[in-house]
Amino acid sequence: MYDIIVIGAGVTGTCTAREFSKYQVNMCVIDKGDDVASGTSKANSGIIHAGYDCTPGSLMAKLNVRGNELMYQLSEELDFPTKMNGSLIVCTVEAERGKLDQLLAQGEANGVPGCRIVEKEELLAMEPNLTPNAVAALYAPTGGIICPFNLAIAMGENAAVNGCEFKFETEVQDIVKKDGYFEIVTNKGTFETKAVVNAAGVYADKMHNMVSEKKMKIVARKGEYLLMDKELGNYFSATVFPLPGKMGKGVLTAPTIHGNLFVGPSATDIEDKEGVNTTQEIIDDLVNKASNSHLTKDRLPMNKVITSFAGLRAHEENHEFIVEEVADAPGFFDAAGIESPGLSSSPAIAEMIVGLIEDKHNFPKNENFIATRKGITHMEDLTIEEKNEMIKKDPRYGAIVCRCEMVTEGELVDAINRPLGARSLDGLKRRTRQGMGRCQAGFCTPRAMEILSRELGIPMTEITKKGEGSNMLVGKIKED
């Protein structure tokens, strides 16, 4: 019998687990993927939104602003990278300038610090590569960038160190209400728990509808992206948005926390909640927008695109976060409809969920709570002297595996052997960036597989890209 089971190991689920680990609870996180951040959290814009565009008085506005504040604190405690590079919402048509004033008023109502209107001369001085058609922009200095799966990894690792269990490749098939507890029926057996946190992303409606007569519908809203080479990483310093439209914040252009540039996302509602394939029609549209953007001074070079990818947003019809105990299923708590700015809000969502459950159960504080965590040491971030010292201690830090991102064997070994360590090639990629560079793993995959095989003690034929059913090798060619 668990005190709490969290369904979903994305940013909401892992932040909730970490927040709960401050208390003496018997807790477990279950996810149908093979790793944290294997669903919605693995593919999004990686933006820490300031909170100016949320409707004043909404839960979304409250949690976005609080989450923004918490995120930068947590990055120091848990050693994951963030950068407060600011956000610019650019108006290119004089007749639409009034929309900037509306956004400014919303930002002030929501308590977003430092928002102001930037006029054309100052704007072009801030961002020389911005289109000369820019009229003015709203500047939100607390906007930032982050790696979403590094957030989930950091939160998950810290929760695990503080006693939380994680069960991967464990898919929920049914949830049964019992007298004072729930049975969670999965493909790996049945688990009992006093409380459930539903952080299942695009499947949150499915989980909710198993226990409640008041049905919920979550629509999978696909967003496709173009990722560009690091040669263009300094094209903009801030995150540059167009004026928002009815489907969201629009196609933006922004640097990533790791020094690339990306363009996206699109916004297409789809039926398939696993539909993360990219489509030629949308990619062509993004290429057109990137090449002839109203945001950029010059045509972006499409020969610098190194990959495209797609992610799904958990859109609820009222475009509002649902963070509450289900009225007809006491003990079942929804964290549903967590679309943008869900990443930015995730620490605050966790804070709220834990507060709701703690009010009912009064769990004692965990006096042995470990609040900090040290991430993987990336050799590229070190000075020559620091690199030499690392190699002296462990020569594997001198053996480069991924030449595009300059990732060493020592980093891969650390990624595999730490709490919630990598068990697949995608797991290595998320933790170290091995395979994320210009060649997109074309050269480093065989060596990475060898290291996984050696460190996990499994044959090469058991190495997967992303868990069960994605084996990289299927056997040996028989010799005549």
Side-chain angles (χ1 to χ4, degrees):
M1 174 69 74
Y2 289 98
D3 295 314
I4 299 153
I5 285 181
V6 179
I7 302 173
V11 291
T12 301
T14 53
C15 284
T16 300
R18 195 262 182 175
E19 189 68 19
F20 262 129
S21 68
K22 296 177 181 178
Y23 297 90
Q24 295 179 36
V25 292
N26 184 19
M27 174 175 50
C28 179
V29 178
I30 61 178
D31 195 287
K32 69 185 183 68
D34 77 307
D35 199 358
V36 299
S38 60
T40 298
S41 297
K42 74 179 177 188
N44 56 58
S45 303
I47 306 297
I48 304 173
H49 292 288
Y52 55 82
D53 62 335
C54 300
T55 303
S58 66
L59 184 60
M60 193 175 277
K62 174 186 173 183
L63 295 178
N64 186 171
V65 174
R66 175 59 176 160
N68 177 286
E69 177 186 1
L70 288 171
M71 196 71 77
Y72 297 112
Q73 298 173 20
L74 288 165
S75 72
E76 295 293 326
E77 291 179 14
L78 300 180
D79 194 27
F80 59 87
T82 59
K83 184 178 181 180
M84 195 184 292
N85 65 324
S87 299
L88 288 167
I89 302 84
V90 179
C91 173
T92 58
V93 179
E94 184 66 44
E96 296 183 338
R97 183 190 171 97
K99 294 180 181 179
L100 293 179
D101 296 319
Q102 294 172 13
L103 289 172
L104 176 61
Q106 281 192 178
E108 291 172 344
N110 291 343
V112 180
C115 287
R116 62 187 178 91
I117 302 294
V118 177
E119 300 299 335
K120 182 170 185 173
E121 184 177 353
E122 182 184 0
L123 180 58
L124 294 181
M126 292 170 69
E127 296 289 354
N129 287 318
L130 201 61
T131 173
N133 296 325
V135 173
L138 174 67
Y139 178 52
T142 57
I145 50 179
I146 186 175
C147 172
F149 30 87
N150 273 347
L151 169 63
I153 290 164
M155 290 290 185
E157 284 185 3
N158 191 236
V161 165
N162 283 296
C164 179
E165 293 180 39
F166 284 79
K167 297 182 185 298
F168 295 113
E169 298 184 305
T170 303
E171 185 171 2
V172 175
Q173 298 170 335
D174 196 10
I175 304 173
V176 182
K177 289 189 287 186
K178 296 290 187 176
D179 186 14
Y181 69 99
F182 295 87
E183 283 184 350
I184 312 293
V185 182
T186 78
N187 62 321
K188 298 287 181 70
T190 299
F191 307 97
E192 296 178 344
T193 180
K194 298 171 187 173
V196 177
V197 176
N198 173 21
V202 293
Y203 290 99
D205 55 349
K206 180 180 177 181
M207 304 302 141
H208 170 96
N209 294 341
M210 288 176 179
V211 299
S212 177
E213 292 302 315
K214 184 182 178 182
K215 301 307 179 185
M216 178 192 295
K217 182 172 177 58
I218 299 292
V219 174
R221 179 163 289 175
K222 182 193 287 190
E224 299 183 41
Y225 297 83
L226 299 174
L227 185 71
M228 309 188 85
D229 192 85
K230 288 185 176 181
E231 284 185 24
L232 295 175
N234 294 322
Y235 192 87
F236 288 140
S237 58
T239 301
V240 178
F241 296 87
L243 287 171
K246 65 178 182 178
M247 291 293 281
K249 298 176 177 67
V251 175
L252 59 111
T253 307
T256 73
I257 195 68
H258 297 295
N260 299 86
L261 184 77
F262 78 88
V263 177
S266 60
T268 309
D269 291 345
I270 62 173
E271 292 295 324
D272 182 7
K273 294 189 177 186
E274 298 293 326
V276 292
N277 57 305
T278 54
T279 56
Q280 191 63 53
E281 178 186 2
I282 298 298
I283 293 300
D284 288 344
D285 184 56
L286 287 177
V287 167
N288 181 60
K289 285 183 169 67
S291 301
N292 305 289
S293 176
H294 60 290
L295 297 179
T296 59
K297 180 177 70 174
D298 300 313
R299 179 185 176 92
L300 290 175
M302 290 300 102
N303 63 343
K304 300 302 180 185
V305 173
I306 61 174
T307 192
S308 61
F309 64 94
L312 302 178
R313 285 159 276 180
H315 176 67
E316 195 271 333
E317 61 181 353
N318 296 310
H319 188 54
E320 174 65 304
F321 294 157
I322 301 171
V323 183
E324 61 189 16
E325 185 174 18
V326 176
D328 57 345
F332 191 97
F333 294 81
D334 281 326
I338 311 301
E339 59 182 316
S340 180
L343 171 62
S344 314
S345 307
S346 54
I349 294 169
E351 207 176 52
M352 182 176 176
I353 282 282
V354 172
L356 292 172
I357 297 178
E358 179 61 10
D359 284 346
K360 292 188 67 172
H361 292 276
N362 295 309
F363 295 117
K365 288 285 182 71
N366 178 4
E367 300 298 335
N368 298 314
F369 175 69
I370 300 168
T372 59
R373 166 257 190 193
K374 182 73 177 72
I376 294 170
T377 298
H378 296 290
M379 292 291 279
E380 274 296 275
D381 298 336
L382 305 182
T383 65
I384 290 293
E385 291 76 18
E386 289 170 332
K387 288 177 181 177
N388 289 337
E389 189 62 30
M390 287 289 291
I391 294 168
K392 188 184 296 183
K393 291 179 181 176
D394 187 343
R396 292 176 296 187
Y397 282 96
I400 293 172
V401 176
C402 174
R403 291 179 287 177
C404 297
E405 295 292 322
M406 299 297 285
V407 180
T408 67
E409 181 180 356
E411 292 163 63
L412 298 185
V413 170
D414 185 6
I416 295 166
N417 290 299
R418 61 198 292 116
L420 295 188
R423 293 295 179 268
S424 65
L425 287 172
D426 277 3
L428 280 181
K429 181 196 293 187
R430 294 187 192 113
R431 287 162 177 80
T432 68
R433 291 190 57 78
Q434 173 266 318
M436 281 198 176
R438 185 176 296 178
C439 86
Q440 289 290 289
F443 286 95
C444 56
T445 295
R447 183 68 182 123
M449 290 176 64
E450 289 174 0
I451 294 168
L452 271 170
S453 174
R454 182 190 72 208
E455 295 298 314
L456 298 177
I458 59 177
M460 292 279 277
T461 50
E462 292 184 19
I463 302 299
T464 66
K465 183 180 186 296
K466 55 177 182 179
E468 188 176 350
S470 63
N471 296 68
M472 297 295 293
L473 303 175
V474 294
K476 297 180 179 179
I477 297 175
K478 295 182 179 179
E479 297 181 1
D480 292 335

